[in-house]
Amino acid sequence: MSIVLNIGIILSFFLAILLFSKKDKALTDNILSFWLVIIGLHLTGYYLKYNGYWEIYPHLIGITTPLPFLYGPFLYLYLVYSIQKSSALKPIDYLHFAPAILSYLYMVPFYFFYSVEEKVMVDKGLVDDYGVFSAILLIGFIVSRLTYSVISYRKLLQRKKMVLDNFSYDNRINLNWLQYPQC
């Protein structure tokens, strides 16, 4: 398991660096770069937990907890800006990141005001301070993933219909690869 996590972490950060350093990059390159960084950070959190580093460095407990809220928005924004060419996100697009930001804000007391012992006890389930919040997060992750997958798929179908209605040959302008499931 550790090898798989290492490969995923290295690939995520390596591809993000390649995209960040690309010349003449589009907005979609930046979106994909940030998405890869988030994936790398999330995998790093799993790696640290799997290898017991959270017991050595308990102040890291929960630092990656809200990150799954970002996967759906990055997928959707990547798809939207692959379809419509733009050089910047619209201000309304930043609302997609609100659940992750609100989750981090809710966890501020845990990050800054809990002692090391209290963090370990919460992580092991001995203290139920964040039990309800954890359940809400889990449901939120599932709803977010499903919702963003559905609206992204619908957006993809709309674009496909538009291309078929306006062009006779679509091999160079399709986004079919986005339909395949992601982990």
Side-chain angles (χ1 to χ4, degrees), residues 60-180:
L60 296 175
I61 293 173
I63 202 88
T64 61
T65 300
L67 291 182
F69 274 129
L70 298 175
Y71 293 155
F74 277 121
L75 170 67
Y76 177 73
L77 293 173
Y78 182 80
L79 177 65
V80 166
Y81 287 103
S82 292
I83 293 170
Q84 67 184 36
K85 298 301 177 196
S86 180
S87 60
L89 292 175
K90 297 175 196 154
I92 193 93
D93 291 332
Y94 293 101
L95 286 177
H96 293 284
F97 303 108
I101 292 168
L102 291 173
S103 297
Y104 274 115
L105 289 175
Y106 186 81
M107 293 179 71
V108 163
F110 177 78
Y111 295 136
F112 296 108
F113 302 118
Y114 276 50
S115 69
V116 170
E117 294 80 19
E118 291 171 321
K119 286 182 180 183
V120 171
M121 288 172 37
V122 168
D123 185 46
K124 292 183 178 182
L126 301 174
V127 175
D128 197 27
D129 289 354
Y130 285 89
V132 173
F133 180 69
S134 296
I136 291 170
L137 278 181
L138 180 60
I139 293 167
F141 295 156
I142 293 168
V143 169
S144 174
R145 272 261 172 105
L146 289 174
T147 303
Y148 277 105
S149 295
V150 168
I151 62 173
S152 297
Y153 187 71
R154 287 179 129 184
K155 185 69 88 174
L156 199 56
L157 290 179
Q158 287 173 354
R159 183 187 183 279
K160 191 173 188 176
K161 183 182 179 324
M162 186 271 305
V163 168
L164 290 175
D165 288 347
N166 293 302
F167 299 98
S168 61
Y169 184 71
D170 72 339
N171 278 355
R172 301 255 344 224
I173 51 177
N174 73 48
L175 294 172
N176 290 339
W177 62 273
L178 285 171
Q179 292 178 348
Y180 301 112

